[in-house]
Amino acid sequence: MSDTLAQAAPAQLGHTLLSRTLAHESTKPQSARTGCPSIDEAALGGGFRYGEMTSLAGGSETGKSLIALHAAAQHLLQHEKSEVAVIDTTGSFSAPRLRDILAFHLRVSARRVNYQQRQSGFMYEKVTVLTEGEGEGEGEGEGGGGRDLDILEKAGRALARVKVMRVFDFAGLVEAVGEVGLGWEGLEHERREREREREREKSVEMGRYRRKERQRGQEVADSQGEDDDADEDDDNNGDDENMDADADAEEEDQRITNRREKSDDSNDISAGVGMIIIDNIGNVATAEMSKSQVQGQALLCSMLRSLRHLTRNHQICTLLINAAVSLSASPSTRPHQSRSEYESPRTRDRVSQPLETVSIFASTLGKPALGKSFAYLIDTSLFVSTVPKRKEDAEVCFGGGGMRSSKREKVGILEVLKDSEGKREGRFGCFEIIGGLELRGWK
């Protein structure tokens, strides 16, 4: 009876688990940043981590897609051989917009400060590299157009490493994720083949070394006064063998050289997909859940487990853009109305209960879509919202202000709702969107 029972998994030592974790962490690339200190440092503590799945939830026009595009641009510029896979479920991806974001970061990086040591004494001169629009009227505006063309050309070359997959339903999303996995399997197969070629090269080099050692020993033995006739026969045979060995060695050297050239050419092609952006995962998942809640949740969990396995095995930074579910306001958020104005008698007692809000800001009434089970399958959950920038803007939003609502200004807030390591929960950062393109920190 006991033989048929399932046996428990063998216990693992804590030291072994620690060694595996440290080895896994040591292979992670540096976190992907957006270029906005309020988001990268204040909220995320360094940026979006590789090897983890991060959800960016928020309402429309809050800047969540723009944040993901800035992270993608920084990834393309920092990793010159890596690729970005964009799975577009809404048809809102814009290649010119990503090109402009890439050009923006290139201009920022060109505006660096160098310190050059002067030849006379221990003096340093501060030199700022000017970009387009700077220095015009001072002899620098003539070359600005050429620099801008170079920046746009470099941004266009970076777009060659962006794979955009347009999907229309949940099945298409699963196929797109599987295509990324197949691409990594092909790269892994090529890397294994290269390792085998290197092992063969090592064995050939070792065989050549041993053959030379035998020849050297034979020459020493011949010099010790053996019989002349035997020496002549041995020399003739040895010469023939040496000529054959040299010819084989030359052919093998040529094959090794050809393989190395081919390997060098293939190394310049791609380093695999290093970032995945799904915009918007709620667009296709909600459609499945509307048919059957249970079946939709099961399909979503299965897909996320596969995506998580792919993300962790290949150290991919995965960004899942999600929608937000709005919540009804409580009486405390409607100070100019009484309960009887917006409550029915049946809900008058229930509305006094606190709402299940996720934001630390009382004016933000919303939470990420796709339910609670979605949060357990990701590593980091972020929530993006907007709040009024000034007191006058708040009066317009919540009543009592005379300014038109179209003129009110907003500030974006990125909050960390969940962190797999538990270090960033509760942190937030404020940012402004300048010109629909730039992310600027706001305090």
Side-chain angles (χ1 to χ4, degrees), residues 318-337:
T318 302
L319 303 180
L320 308 175
I321 300 178
N322 189 17
V325 179
S326 60
L327 302 175
S328 300
S330 63
S332 60
T333 61
R334 298 185 181 181
H336 300 286
Q337 293 178 331

Side-chain angles (χ1 to χ4, degrees), residues 61-168:
E61 298 182 359
T62 54
K64 55 186 184 295
S65 298
L66 182 61
I67 293 173
L69 290 179
H70 274 272
Q74 290 279 34
H75 173 84
L76 291 171
L77 297 178
Q78 291 176 2
H79 308 278
E80 296 183 353
K81 294 183 180 180
S82 184
E83 299 176 349
V84 174
V86 179
I87 303 177
D88 185 12
T89 67
T90 60
S92 59
F93 176 79
S94 173
R97 188 184 189 194
L98 181 55
R99 183 204 59 184
D100 293 341
I101 293 175
L102 284 164
F104 167 76
H105 285 286
L106 288 171
R107 293 188 185 99
V108 171
S109 62
R111 204 177 292 122
R112 62 188 180 274
V113 178
N114 297 330
Y115 290 93
Q116 298 179 348
Q117 185 175 5
R118 302 184 64 175
Q119 296 181 357
S120 58
F122 295 93
M123 298 294 293
Y124 290 86
E125 180 182 3
K126 184 177 180 181
V127 179
T128 303
V129 180
L130 300 177
T131 59
E132 179 195 13
E134 298 180 353
E136 293 185 358
E138 300 177 1
E140 297 291 340
E142 184 177 354
R147 284 193 298 269
D148 190 63
L149 290 177
D150 293 339
I151 287 175
L152 292 178
E153 183 180 356
K154 188 174 182 180
R157 289 197 302 266
L159 284 177
R161 293 182 282 117
V162 179
K163 296 182 178 179
V164 182
M165 292 170 277
R166 179 73 170 96
V167 300
F168 301 92

Side-chain angles (χ1 to χ4, degrees), residues 310-361:
L310 177 66
T311 299
R312 293 192 171 183
N313 284 354
H314 302 293
Q315 301 291 357
I316 300 175
C317 179
T318 302
L319 303 180
L320 308 175
I321 300 178
N322 189 17
V325 179
S326 60
L327 302 175
S328 300
S330 63
S332 60
T333 61
R334 298 185 181 181
H336 300 286
Q337 293 178 331
S338 61
R339 282 192 177 183
S340 58
E341 294 179 16
Y342 61 90
E343 285 183 5
S344 63
R346 296 181 180 180
T347 60
R348 189 170 298 170
D349 296 332
R350 289 182 294 176
V351 77
S352 59
Q353 299 177 359
L355 293 174
E356 189 182 357
T357 58
V358 296
S359 176
I360 61 175
F361 297 91

Side-chain angles (χ1 to χ4, degrees), residues 191-224:
R191 290 172 183 173
R192 287 192 295 267
E193 290 295 330
R194 292 172 192 168
E195 290 295 331
R196 294 192 188 99
E197 293 295 336
R198 293 191 186 99
E199 292 297 330
R200 289 184 58 186
E201 292 175 8
K202 289 180 181 178
S203 63
V204 170
E205 293 289 343
M206 184 60 67
R208 187 179 296 115
Y209 173 77
R210 292 175 179 173
R211 188 163 52 250
K212 289 181 179 179
E213 289 295 326
R214 285 196 300 267
Q215 293 174 1
R216 204 173 290 161
Q218 188 177 6
E219 292 175 357
V220 172
D222 291 341
S223 64
Q224 293 179 354

Side-chain angles (χ1 to χ4, degrees), residues 380-434:
T380 305
S381 178
L382 308 178
F383 191 73
V384 185
S385 59
T386 58
V387 296
K389 185 176 181 179
R390 298 184 298 270
K391 179 180 178 181
E392 295 80 4
D393 302 321
E395 292 177 352
V396 174
C397 292
F398 303 109
M403 190 168 51
R404 291 185 300 174
S405 60
S406 60
K407 292 184 178 180
R408 66 185 179 93
E409 298 183 13
K410 298 180 293 183
V411 175
I413 297 177
L414 186 140
E415 305 176 61
V416 181
L417 305 181
K418 175 201 171 185
D419 181 24
S420 58
E421 297 183 0
K423 299 178 181 179
R424 303 182 295 181
E425 291 184 3
R427 299 176 65 169
F428 68 93
C430 303
F431 63 93
E432 288 182 287
I433 300 177
I434 307 300

